[in-house]
Amino acid sequence: MDSNTGRRAAWDTYLAVNHGLLRALRNGDSAEVINPILGEVVIRIRRYALMWPADGLMLIAAASGAVRLLRQDDREALIGLSVAMSRRLYLLSAGPDRLHHPGRRNQRAAWTKRAKPVAGINERRKARHRGQQHEKGMPDD
């Protein structure tokens, strides 16, 4: 299997989570409606997990947790977990050239190229310390 197959599988699973599961959860659908949608997502994740070596086991654990949250009727936590799974699947579908992807090499170099220095940080620190008081409550001169 090549990387394009893994990306396509991640995209299909992302669509199932984002447009199926999350839409049903946010619409307030009953557990009877959500259960088969979640089952489809779990089957996809288990089927394709070997294509995502860095994230496959994590997504299997998240899918199992989602089933448990649905059984406990904890919708807020289930929405949060589904959003996290959706984000990870999106990054997997985008490929290893995306920033924040676990397979990306030299992430620090990518961050330093994009980071802009904050102007005046030393002046702000000095101003903050000028207003401090002594131990006995007397202000500095």
Side-chain angles (χ1 to χ4, degrees), residues 43-95:
I43 288 170
R44 284 176 183 263
I45 288 175
R46 288 181 184 264
R47 180 181 301 153
Y48 300 134
L50 293 176
M51 293 184 190
W52 314 313
D55 298 303
L57 292 176
M58 178 186 64
L59 286 168
I60 288 174
S64 298
V67 171
R68 187 171 47 253
L69 290 172
L70 180 64
R71 288 180 185 159
Q72 294 172 354
D73 200 31
D74 190 354
R75 288 191 179 246
E76 293 299 319
L78 182 56
I79 289 173
L81 183 59
S82 299
V83 167
M85 289 183 342
S86 174
R87 288 179 182 163
R88 178 56 55 189
L89 288 163
Y90 179 79
L91 289 175
L92 285 170
S93 71

Side-chain angles (χ1 to χ4, degrees), residues 9-22:
W11 181 252
D12 289 342
T13 310
Y14 164 79
L15 291 176
V17 171
N18 211 31
H19 296 292
L21 181 61
L22 280 171

